[in-house]
């Protein structure tokens, strides 16, 4: 079996659902269930005995040791993290605790378990760490996209804490020989993304007739990766990645934020027209994020060349699927936007 951390969050839940739909190998899913983790994301797995859910913290070394000894996974895939840049600006402490200390504890518990395995199992074992392109910092408009050789220049508390975790993973390979793989991906979008991130926030606000907040001039550029494509890439890296290597994963969809928001508005105009007028009327420019990175772009040629992976979705196909999913799952949005969510929106947007 495999051990997944953070499997009740956006990408982790998509990964666990895809994994169990595609193979028989069981999953132990360790998740703290912070505001971002939600068992509603996994409701399709109720009664499925190949999915073992454990509520707990990756920073809890004793729990990790017990779980690893009990289940003896052949791989650990680490999705667990605090993941929202704006929250990291308001309160970096949780980011240091989970992303840095938590990853350290997970590495240490995994190392002890791995070292005690019989030699054949030790050789096949993998620790896959899921990271972000934000560790590379910001790019000038015409600069080439990030390759795996780009230097680390994180600019936010979030990206700095992820960069630190990547360095720990690297060091546990070089120093202790732990068989690690690291992936650095661009902005994901798709089903089950918590509506604090740009795309689901805009869909949710538009449907409620609320302002669509654009930070600064809206010309910041991100690369957008459909979450299903990210999941196939991680499986491919787990199967065939070279130990100690890092792989950039991207969607070849570089786009400014304003264009993303206008695309969502146009899709909503088509699929759920608002009698009050086009959704783009709700676009509202707000104060920029402090230290806002201007541009991210991923050069994903290494994973294509070495492992034969490339994304299946274009932005046009992926965003249409995503908007439809949110329209079909308004109950999910309602369930996750609790009082805690409303407190956050009040704090961030006033
Ligand atoms: P998310 O915030 O939606 O989910 C994170 C999950 O981790 C939640 O279920 C939460 O409960 C859990 N968690 C948080 N702290 C924990 C702890 N201490 N112990 C155990 N579980 C804990 O995040 P996501 O968007 O699914 O991101 C998953 C991973 O991918 C993260 O490592 C993130 O840095 C990385 N990533 C995300 C994106 C993106 O666009 N979403 C892009 C690049 C990289
Ligand atoms: P986000 O989804 O928070 O991801 P990240 O900061 O990790 O890239 O934001 C994506 C882009 O959208 C980023 O440039 C910030 C911008 N943004 C807004 O303009 N308004 C918003 O309300 C949010 C949440 C983000």
């Amino acid at each position: 079996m495999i051990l997944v951390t953070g499997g009740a969050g956006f990408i982790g839940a998509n990964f666990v659902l895809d994994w169990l739909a595609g193979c028989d190998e069981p999953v132990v899913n360790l998740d703290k269930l912070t505001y971002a983790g939600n068992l509603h994301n996994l409701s399709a797995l109720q009664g499925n005995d190949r999915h073992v859910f454990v509520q707990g913290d990756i920073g809890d070394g004793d729990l990790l040791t017990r779980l690893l000894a009990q289940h003896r996974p052949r791989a650990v895939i680490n999705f667990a993290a605090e993941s929202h840049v704006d929250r990291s600006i308001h309160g970096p402490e949780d980011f240091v605790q989970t992303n840095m200390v938590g990853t350290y504890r997970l590495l240490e518990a995994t190392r002890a378990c791995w070292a005690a395995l019989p030699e054949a199992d030790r050789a096949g074992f993998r620790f896959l760490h899921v990271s972000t392109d934000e560790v590379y910092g910001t790019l000038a408009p015409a600069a080439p996209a990030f390759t795996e050789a780009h230097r680390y220049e994180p600019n936010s508390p979030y990206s700095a804490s992820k960069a630190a975790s990547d360095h720990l993973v690297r060091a546990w390979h070089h120093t202790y020989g732990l068989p690690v793989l690291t992936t650095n991906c661009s902005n994901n979008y798709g089903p089950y993304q918590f509506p604090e991130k740009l795309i689901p926030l805009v869909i949710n606000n538009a449907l409620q007739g609320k302002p669509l907040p654009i930070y600064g001039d809206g010309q910041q550029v991100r690369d957008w990766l459909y979450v299903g494509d990210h999941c196939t890439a991680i499986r491919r890296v787990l199967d065939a990645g070279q130990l100690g290597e890092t792989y950039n994963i991207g969607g070849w969809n570089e786009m400014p934020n304003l264009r993303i928001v206008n695309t969502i508005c146009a899709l909503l105009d088509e699929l759920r027209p608002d009698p009050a007028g086009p959704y783009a009327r709700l676009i509202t420019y707000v104060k920029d994020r402090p230290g806002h990175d201007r541009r991210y772009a991923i050069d994903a040629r290494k994973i294509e060349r070495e492992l034969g992976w490339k994304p299946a979705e274009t932005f046009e196909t992926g965003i249409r699927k995503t908007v439809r999913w949110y329209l079909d799952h308004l109950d999910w949005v309602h369930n996750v936007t609790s009082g805690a969510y409303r407190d956050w929106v009040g704090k961030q947007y006033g």
Side-chain angles (χ1 to χ4, degrees), residues 212-235:
L212 311 180
I214 306 282
Y215 297 166
D217 63 1
Q219 293 308 315
Q220 302 85 3
V221 171
R222 300 288 182 265
D223 173 70
W224 293 92
L225 171 67
Y226 187 69
V227 66
D229 280 331
H230 186 196
C231 293
T232 62
I234 291 174
R235 288 205 300 271

Side-chain angles (χ1 to χ4, degrees), residues 123-143:
F125 190 89
R126 298 288 180 270
F127 181 99
L128 192 154
H129 180 61
V130 177
S131 192
T132 168
D133 60 358
E134 303 195 23
V135 298
Y136 299 124
T138 192
L139 282 172

Side-chain angles (χ1 to χ4, degrees), residues 6-12 30-38 56-59 78-83 98 130-133 158 162 185-188 193 196-197 230:
F10 162 49
I11 304 173
L30 172 66
D31 195 296
K32 186 176 173 183
L33 296 182
T34 67
Y35 77 92
N38 205 308
D57 192 326
I58 59 164
N78 184 29
F79 292 96
E82 289 291 337
S83 69
T98 286
V130 177
S131 192
T132 168
D133 60 358
Y158 163 67
K162 290 296 289 186
C185 69
S186 54
N187 285 53
N188 282 220
Q193 187 168 29
E196 64 184 355
K197 305 276 167 61
H230 186 196

Side-chain angles (χ1 to χ4, degrees), residues 39 61 133 149 152 201 242 286 311 313 350:
L39 287 177
D133 60 358
Y152 272 40
L201 181 105
Q242 290 294 309
V286 300
E313 302 288 344

Side-chain angles (χ1 to χ4, degrees), residues 179-328:
V180 308
L181 300 155
T182 298
T183 56
N184 295 84
C185 69
S186 54
N187 285 53
N188 282 220
Y189 67 102
Y192 302 110
Q193 187 168 29
F194 192 73
E196 64 184 355
K197 305 276 167 61
L198 180 69
I199 288 180
L201 181 105
V202 163
I203 298 171
N204 188 30
N205 281 17
L207 292 174
Q208 296 185 48
K210 292 184 177 163
L212 311 180
I214 306 282
Y215 297 166
D217 63 1
Q219 293 308 315
Q220 302 85 3
V221 171
R222 300 288 182 265
D223 173 70
W224 293 92
L225 171 67
Y226 187 69
V227 66
D229 280 331
H230 186 196
C231 293
T232 62
I234 291 174
R235 288 205 300 271
R236 187 69 196 129
V237 173
L238 185 66
D239 285 349
Q242 290 294 309
L243 295 185
E245 288 292 311
T246 66
Y247 295 91
N248 283 356
I249 307 172
W252 299 107
N253 289 307
E254 248 193 270
M255 243 172 252
N257 294 336
L258 193 57
R259 200 163 132 210
I260 299 287
V261 175
N262 275 310
T263 303
I264 296 169
C265 289
L267 274 169
L268 286 172
D269 287 338
E270 175 195 327
L271 298 171
R272 185 70 55 93
D274 182 348
Y279 287 99
R281 76 186 190 284
L282 299 169
I283 288 176
T284 306
Y285 290 87
V286 300
K287 197 158 116 348
D288 206 353
R289 170 188 283 172
H292 198 170
D293 284 338
R294 198 68 187 163
R295 174 176 169 239
Y296 304 138
I298 280 264
D299 180 336
R301 282 178 298 178
K302 175 177 171 182
I303 187 172
E304 181 170 351
R305 190 175 60 244
E306 295 186 8
L307 305 182
W309 175 90
K310 55 182 182 187
E313 302 288 344
T314 62
F315 189 70
E316 287 66 33
T317 59
I319 193 68
R320 183 171 281 275
K321 279 188 189 177
T322 303
V323 170
R324 277 191 195 281
W325 186 88
Y326 280 88
L327 287 173
D328 292 343

